[in-house]
Amino acid sequence: MSDLAYQNEREIAIAATLAAAQLCETVRAEQLANAVDKPDASPVTIADYGSQALICRALAEAFPQDPVVGEEDAMLLQSQGDLLGNVVQMVERFIADATEAEVLDWVGRGKGEISNRFWTLDPIDGTKGYVRGDQYAIALALIENGQVQLGVVVCPAFPLDDATTDMLPGTVFVAVRGQGAQMLSLDLQQSRPLQVNGEAQRESFRLIQSVVAAHGTPEEQLAAAQAVGITTEPLSMDSLGKYGAIARGDADLYLRLPSASSTHRCENIWDHAAGAIVLEEAGGRVSDRHGKPLDFTNGIKMTGNVGIVASNGLLHDAVIEALGTSAAG
Ligand code: AMP
Ligand code: MG
């Protein structure tokens, strides 16, 4: 057995998120990914609940003391009669004889409290992309004493690289604090270290942002990127796979700047924790728009931060400076 820290957690987190990815891909392949609106008008599908059930079950088995702070809500699922039946049927394909009560219990384990050691889970980040047939991610992070120690981001539709056409698409981004970051193929047979772009690529540095314009302020984001010398067309991608894209050098700067009038001024911890450690361990930097480190200790919402700036590191200080002189914030 390796004496590196968090190896057991890493292995279990990868296995759990990969099983969830298989469920998500099954739902998508069978065209069952119809979205239902939650009370906050965000979409949810069979796969969001199924993914949370599988991952929370695996964590409960391996780490029964660890709370999980996840996105989906078992009470809401219970009130969504038709959806619940379909979720149970889908989970049964992965866990024989799973009952409705068990599925509700597993999903409900995602209502844990933030504590000294807890997991945070987004069973499908980028549900809009998932339903559209684009990118999405399953994100799981372990947070201890306010610091992310482990992050796994599975992007089932993000090719490991363009050259390998004969293998399953899909990438697992993984990082443990102090141990670097890697990307793995979904069958775990291939592994590469992750490293952000360096000076040599400066001419082709790229901005990456959400596909959904309302999740940020595209004009302000573009202006800040231009202010630090980025001239290429921005990339758009759903989910926190954007952190992975920078970690592997496909992009260099991710800006997520809320508008002053946004009802979503504060980000959710599960939308950033796993991606942030992957990028930091690949040599990048992550902060809010004022340069403040991301704070995962205030609850589900990151009330101590405004916006997200994630970069290859080289651009970071200049971007914070450019944002400091712009109007919003
Ligand atoms: P993305 O795929 O980067 O567009 O982000 C998806 C995430 O955006 C979801 O997980 C939501 O939590 C989050 N989200 C929903 N509405 C908003 C909003 N108005 N502003 C910022 N983020 C949002
Ligand atoms: Mg999300």
Side-chain angles (χ1 to χ4, degrees):
M1 203 175 120
S2 162
D3 56 3
L4 285 173
Y6 299 107
Q7 289 313 288
N8 191 28
E9 285 88 345
R10 181 183 188 275
E11 213 170 284
I12 282 158
I14 290 175
T17 48
L18 278 175
Q22 234 184 330
L23 181 146
C24 295
E25 286 295 279
T26 303
V27 169
R28 208 150 72 155
E30 297 183 13
Q31 301 185 339
L32 298 170
N34 312 312
V36 175
D37 274 354
K38 292 195 275 192
D40 67 356
S42 66
V44 68
T45 70
I46 295 173
D48 296 71
Y49 289 119
S51 169
Q52 179 153 322
L54 293 188
I55 294 169
C56 286
R57 176 182 179 269
L59 292 176
E61 223 163 65
F63 308 108
Q65 308 302 325
D66 289 355
V68 183
V69 179
E71 176 165 11
E72 304 310 338
D73 180 351
M75 301 277 278
L76 184 61
L77 174 58
Q78 195 159 22
S79 71
Q80 294 170 311
D82 289 353
L83 196 58
L84 173 58
N86 292 334
V87 172
V88 175
Q89 274 184 21
M90 187 51 65
V91 171
E92 272 177 344
R93 296 217 217 159
F94 294 83
I95 299 169
D97 305 323
T99 64
E100 184 179 296
E102 282 174 325
V103 169
L104 284 168
D105 177 57
W106 295 330
V107 174
R109 284 173 182 269
K111 265 278 167 284
E113 298 273 319
I114 287 176
S115 66
N116 285 348
R117 172 179 155 123
F118 70 98
W119 298 82
T120 188
L121 168 66
D122 197 339
I124 293 188
D125 185 43
T127 305
K128 287 175 185 160
Y130 174 71
V131 171
R132 212 191 300 119
D134 290 335
Q135 293 298 331
Y136 69 101
I138 296 133
L140 180 62
L142 175 66
I143 299 179
E144 279 189 8
N145 303 317
Q147 253 223 329
V148 189
Q149 295 294 353
L150 162 70
V152 180
V153 179
V154 178
C155 299
F158 197 97
L160 190 64
D161 63 39
D162 297 333
T164 51
T165 48
D166 59 343
M167 51 171 274
L168 274 177
T171 301
V172 180
F173 296 98
V174 59
V176 175
R177 178 81 51 204
Q179 296 177 22
Q182 299 83 40
M183 58 179 180
L184 314 170
S185 55
L186 292 192
D187 61 8
L188 306 182
Q189 295 305 301
Q190 299 191 50
S191 166
R192 312 207 177 118
L194 285 165
Q195 180 62 49
V196 294
N197 281 331
E199 278 295 344
Q201 289 89 18
R202 195 171 264 273
E203 291 306 304
S204 54
F205 278 177
R206 269 181 189 277
L207 173 69
I208 190 164
Q209 53 192 358
S210 293
V211 173
V212 183
H215 290 179
T217 44
E219 275 181 25
E220 189 191 7
Q221 289 160 191
L222 192 59
Q226 287 170 344
V228 298
I230 292 181
T231 53
T232 49
E233 275 290 299
L235 297 173
S236 301
M237 180 178 171
D238 297 286
S239 87
L240 43 47
K242 289 186 274 295
Y243 287 99
I246 302 178
R248 73 182 214 174
D250 289 353
D252 299 279
L253 176 64
Y254 166 28
L255 293 174
R256 187 182 191 90
L257 307 174
S259 69
S261 61
S262 173
T263 53
H264 196 282
R265 287 284 287 172
C266 296
E267 298 287 327
N268 302 318
I269 55 173
W270 52 72
D271 285 331
H272 298 284
I277 187 172
V278 165
L279 179 52
E280 286 172 351
E281 286 295 319
R285 279 179 62 190
V286 184
S287 73
D288 78 355
R289 67 170 294 151
H290 302 302
K292 197 175 161 202
L294 300 191
D295 184 347
F296 299 106
T297 62
N298 290 318
I300 283 169
K301 293 277 176 193
M302 295 161 61
T303 52
N305 296 115
V306 183
I308 302 286
V309 177
S311 79
N312 62 17
L314 291 170
L315 291 167
H316 211 89
D317 291 333
V319 173
I320 300 298
E321 195 177 331
L323 290 172
T325 54
S326 74

